Amino acid sequence: MDLLERLITIFAENGYVAVFLALLLCGAGIPIPEDITLVAGGVIAGLGYANVHIMAGVTMAGVMIGDAGMFLLGHHFGVHMLQWRPIALLMPPRRYAKMQQKFERFGNRLLFFARFLPGMRTAVYITAGATHRVTFARFLLIDGLASLISVPLWVYLGYFGANRREWLSMWIRRGQGSLWVVGAVIVLGTLALWWYRRTRKARPQVSTTAGPSRRLDGL
């Protein structure tokens, strides 16, 4: 919670701009937890330094622009980004290869559940752009739908817990665990659907056409 308190102080002094810039840095892979940043934005609204509904809009914009920036960089520069030192530290060639394999396996669904799996987002978005498997419009749609679930949750949690820090701390821990559960459910559901489709295709087709009727003796 020390990081949360520091962010609250910074955001209270600098308002929406500080929250927005912090979320851009989160999208760029800087090790600032996005969920804590969103909660801190909600807390300063709860303390009267901002309007919570405007804060929800600002945070959505910061998250989406940060994500879109990584996608577009990957789309424009492709694998050449892997040679940039900050990106090379974040996503070495081996990890990039694994991300490509995940895209081949899960397709666009990977973009959706990456939002709920901290540590994967930036790598997934860069890979999505670099591999040209997803159009920019579809990326915005999928990422936007996932963000509509996670972003308001954290902001309004911070707002309602602004004056109840112990309660807020408890629900942050529960919320982080819940997002992991959501992510796990999505992954398991995707695997189950993939396995079902695969086994259905592999199953031999049984003909429903009746064969020639046989005449029974004595009839």
Side-chain angles (χ1 to χ4, degrees):
M1 295 295 286
D2 290 340
L3 175 60
L4 176 61
E5 296 299 332
R6 288 197 294 270
L7 289 175
I8 290 171
T9 301
I10 295 171
F11 294 167
E13 293 175 351
N14 299 280
Y16 301 113
V17 174
V19 179
F20 181 79
L21 292 177
L23 289 170
L24 290 183
L25 293 175
C26 292
I30 303 300
I32 304 174
E34 184 179 276
D35 48 3
I36 300 300
T37 304
L38 293 168
V39 169
V43 168
I44 69 165
L47 295 175
Y49 293 98
N51 179 284
V52 68
H53 306 304
I54 296 176
M55 181 61 72
V58 169
T59 52
M60 274 294 297
V63 166
M64 291 295 297
I65 292 173
D67 294 348
M70 291 298 100
F71 177 90
L72 291 174
L73 283 173
H75 185 81
H76 184 72
F77 294 102
V79 294
H80 298 294
M81 283 188 68
L82 302 180
Q83 300 174 3
W84 302 355
R85 184 168 181 79
I87 301 299
L89 294 174
L90 176 68
M91 191 167 60
R94 181 179 296 179
R95 190 179 188 194
Y96 178 71
K98 288 183 178 180
M99 286 297 167
Q100 287 182 307
Q101 293 174 359
K102 290 181 185 296
F103 264 105
E104 291 177 0
R105 187 176 222 179
F106 301 114
N108 295 341
R109 295 182 293 273
L110 181 64
L111 288 174
F112 184 84
F113 66 72
R115 164 59 47 198
F116 306 98
L117 300 174
M120 283 187 61
R121 296 177 193 134
T122 303
V124 168
Y125 301 151
I126 291 174
T127 305
T131 56
H132 295 262
R133 293 179 180 274
V134 185
T135 65
F136 184 54
R138 178 169 291 185
F139 169 80
L140 288 179
L141 175 63
I142 296 172
D143 189 46
L145 291 174
S147 298
L148 282 173
I149 297 174
S150 63
V151 173
L153 183 150
W154 291 119
V155 172
Y156 285 97
L157 178 64
Y159 175 74
F160 289 113
N163 295 305
R164 295 180 290 171
R165 297 301 172 81
E166 290 185 4
W167 177 88
L168 179 61
S169 177
M170 176 189 70
W171 279 103
I172 287 175
R173 291 193 298 271
R174 288 185 179 181
Q176 289 171 332
S178 298
L179 288 181
W180 278 105
V181 171
V182 170
V185 169
I186 293 172
V187 171
L188 291 175
T190 301
L191 288 173
L193 180 62
W194 170 79
W195 179 256
Y196 172 76
R197 288 178 175 176
R198 181 178 179 183
T199 55
R200 189 175 180 181
K201 288 180 180 179
R203 190 180 304 163
Q205 298 294 324
V206 178
S207 176
T208 57
T209 304
S213 60
R214 295 182 178 179
R215 183 169 181 145
L216 299 178
D217 292 339
L219 296 180

